[in-house]
Amino acid sequence: EAAVERRAPPPPSPTSAVGAEPSASGGRDGEAMDNSRFRQPAKTRTRGPMHVEGNPSHLFEDTSGNMDPPGAGYEGSSTGFGLSGEGFLSDPVVSNLAMAYGSSLASQGKNIVDQNIDRFIPVSKLKYYFAVDTIYVGKKLGLLIFPYMHQNWEVRYQQDSPVAPRVEVNAPDLYIPAMALITYLLVAGFALGTQSRFSPEVLGMQASSALIWLVIEVLAILLSLYLVTVNTDLTTIDLIAFAGYKYVGMVTGVVAGLIFGRTGYYVALGWCCISIVVFMIRTLRLKILSEAAAEGVLVRGTRNQLRMYLTMAIAAVQPVFMYWLTFHLVR
Amino acid sequence: MAFTLYSLLQAALLCVNAVAVPHEERFLNKIGWGTDQSFGGLGEEPGIKSQLVNLIRPVRMVMRLLLIVLNSVIIGLLLLFG
């Protein structure tokens, strides 16, 4: 019951932030509209699709108000045209019309591209995973390397959707896995360079190997989640995020191996493997196991046993991958 | 370790072939994996085996035509380019 109670009331601070943000962006809107009157139709049209999907501006601060400098630049060049030459475009009315038409064409093109991209890649869902800030990244990296002191692993919910990672440390994000993957590739190139085994194709091979193992792991987890008939709210992107967290440990291991040699590599990798196993078990336990089992009570029944085995298997596979993808980099 | 996207596609194609090849009447029913034999689990606990059995049939139905095309393409590529 304590777990349910913790999830039910939405915390006050993010909702007040939601209330504050739209008024701030509305204020900037009015200011921009005063500066350039003929830009008004273009602005309201580009704002339209964003507000349809339930105001995602609470994830990020709205910095799209600074479209004024290009507008000022255009106005300067148009008056320059008018002053210098004769002809059709020197008439300021015609040039205003031409610029309004051009900007409306550009915004229409942008709308078409946005709609088509949204069909293939869920951009708004992806935005949630990148709504991070420095404090969150620092805390999460600390959690990945030392998860033993953290007590509360639950994700707070806000009106049936998870709170943005910026506010809640336990929420998964895609920023750390993406950065860790790129860092891993750079460190791998560096490590191969110290062994005189480097060539630019090697970087490409490392990248495709790492990405393909990630895809295989996520597909295997999805398949096993389907077979065990688990009703969770783990999305595919969540799984990609969790599978990508092991790159942090890999980078740490390889860097320690570069500085301290083979023993340093083994020590750092061992520590990071154990940390990732504990992190995974504690995070996935809340998502995969049922409520009662997640509290620590031993619930009998094959279904809960299967779920427990699945959690253990997912966690145990991480050190295997971590070793497999890095042992050839350290000599 | 030298993985490319192409090798991943080949591995996936081979796995899907493995799901599509065994014949339903002649083989799967004989070893007790047929879909007409596993209607016992109508309750809460489907179990892994019945989930697998119920997964095989739709996968076959959906992928049959696609598998024909993909296999021909990959065989042609392998013959031409090794």
Side-chain angles (χ1 to χ4, degrees):
Chain A
E1 300 95 37
V4 177
E5 250 179 86
R6 243 176 289 158
R7 264 195 222 148
S13 43
T15 47
S16 62
V18 172
E21 288 293 321
S23 61
S25 60
R28 249 171 278 162
D29 239 347
E31 183 184 47
M33 279 198 290
D34 282 337
N35 281 346
S36 45
R37 266 174 291 120
F38 68 88
R39 283 202 155 261
Q40 180 175 345
K43 265 227 177 260
T44 51
R45 219 177 299 157
T46 53
R47 288 290 159 136
M50 274 187 61
H51 281 301
V52 167
E53 52 193 24
N55 200 3
S57 61
H58 66 272
L59 283 179
F60 301 102
E61 266 141 27
D62 194 2
T63 53
S64 61
N66 48 4
M67 279 204 282
D68 308 322
Y74 276 131
E75 291 204 76
S77 65
S78 78
T79 51
F81 259 123
L83 285 177
S84 63
E86 345 153 327
F88 195 48
L89 272 182
S90 64
D91 189 1
V93 175
V94 177
S95 64
N96 282 351
L97 272 179
M99 274 199 310
Y101 184 60
S103 63
S104 78
L105 265 186
S107 68
Q108 271 178 3
K110 181 174 178 302
N111 283 348
I112 292 179
V113 168
D114 279 343
Q115 281 168 8
N116 281 340
I117 281 196
D118 210 24
R119 235 185 280 169
F120 296 116
I121 312 174
V123 177
S124 53
K125 283 191 222 160
L126 272 184
K127 270 191 192 175
Y128 162 79
Y129 288 97
F130 284 99
V132 296
D133 63 344
T134 325
I135 302 180
Y136 169 83
V137 170
K139 279 197 206 166
K140 194 81 177 191
L141 286 177
L143 259 188
L144 281 170
I145 301 197
F146 197 79
Y148 308 106
M149 304 289 292
H150 193 75
Q151 300 296 333
N152 181 19
W153 290 83
E154 280 210 11
V155 181
R156 277 176 299 166
Y157 279 82
Q158 175 202 357
Q159 294 148 9
D160 213 24
S161 70
V163 173
R166 187 166 31 179
V167 184
E168 164 70 55
V169 172
N170 294 322
D173 70 312
L174 274 182
Y175 175 79
I176 292 183
M179 293 294 130
L181 177 69
I182 298 178
T183 313
Y184 162 74
L185 292 175
L186 293 174
V187 168
F190 187 75
L192 287 177
T194 57
Q195 303 165 26
S196 326
R197 283 196 295 160
F198 180 78
S199 73
E201 295 96 30
V202 168
L203 267 185
M205 295 304 294
Q206 289 285 330
S208 56
S209 295
L211 279 175
I212 287 175
W213 279 119
L214 190 74
V215 166
I216 291 180
E217 183 183 349
V218 169
L219 285 178
I221 294 180
L222 277 174
L223 181 68
S224 44
L225 277 178
Y226 169 79
L227 287 181
V228 178
T229 60
V230 164
N231 290 328
T232 92
D233 52 350
L234 274 180
T235 61
T236 315
I237 310 188
D238 278 342
L239 287 175
I240 298 180
F242 285 135
Y245 278 143
K246 62 166 143 353
Y247 285 105
V248 177
M250 283 159 60
V251 166
T252 316
V254 177
V255 167
L258 281 176
I259 303 180
F260 297 118
R262 208 115 220 240
T263 48
Y265 166 70
Y266 280 129
V267 164
L269 199 71
W271 177 268
C272 289
C273 283
I274 299 180
S275 310
I276 277 280
V277 165
V278 171
F279 176 85
M280 278 285 157
I281 291 187
R282 286 198 183 165
T283 308
L284 288 177
R285 189 174 62 165
L286 291 168
K287 303 244 171 180
I288 297 186
L289 292 183
S290 58
E291 286 279 339
E295 293 284 314
V297 179
L298 269 180
V299 180
R300 285 284 154 191
T302 46
R303 214 145 158 238
N304 281 317
Q305 249 183 353
L306 270 180
R307 291 179 176 187
M308 178 73 74
Y309 284 151
L310 178 65
T311 319
M312 301 267 182
I314 295 179
V317 135
Q318 311 286 321
V320 171
F321 276 129
M322 285 169 74
Y323 182 69
W324 180 259
L325 284 173
T326 52
F327 75 97
H328 60 283
L329 294 175
V330 180
R331 284 292 155 84
Chain B
M1 264 306 292
F3 271 139
T4 59
L5 193 62
Y6 182 64
S7 57
L8 178 70
L9 283 177
Q10 273 187 322
L13 186 66
L14 284 177
C15 287
V16 182
N17 275 333
V19 171
V21 160
H23 193 272
E24 182 137 358
E25 268 180 32
R26 294 180 201 148
F27 180 65
L28 291 182
N29 287 344
K30 299 274 172 61
I31 62 171
W33 274 40
T35 48
D36 50 348
Q37 298 171 357
S38 63
F39 261 122
L42 280 177
E44 278 265 339
E45 306 217 8
I48 291 191
K49 183 184 151 191
S50 66
Q51 284 288 107
L52 263 180
V53 165
N54 287 331
L55 182 64
I56 292 182
R57 202 148 172 231
V59 167
R60 279 172 201 257
M61 212 175 298
V62 168
M63 298 294 288
R64 198 146 266 167
L65 186 62
L66 198 63
L67 272 182
I68 296 176
V69 171
L70 275 179
N71 274 326
S72 320
V73 166
I74 298 271
I75 289 175
L77 281 178
L78 276 178
L79 282 177
L80 287 176
F81 301 117

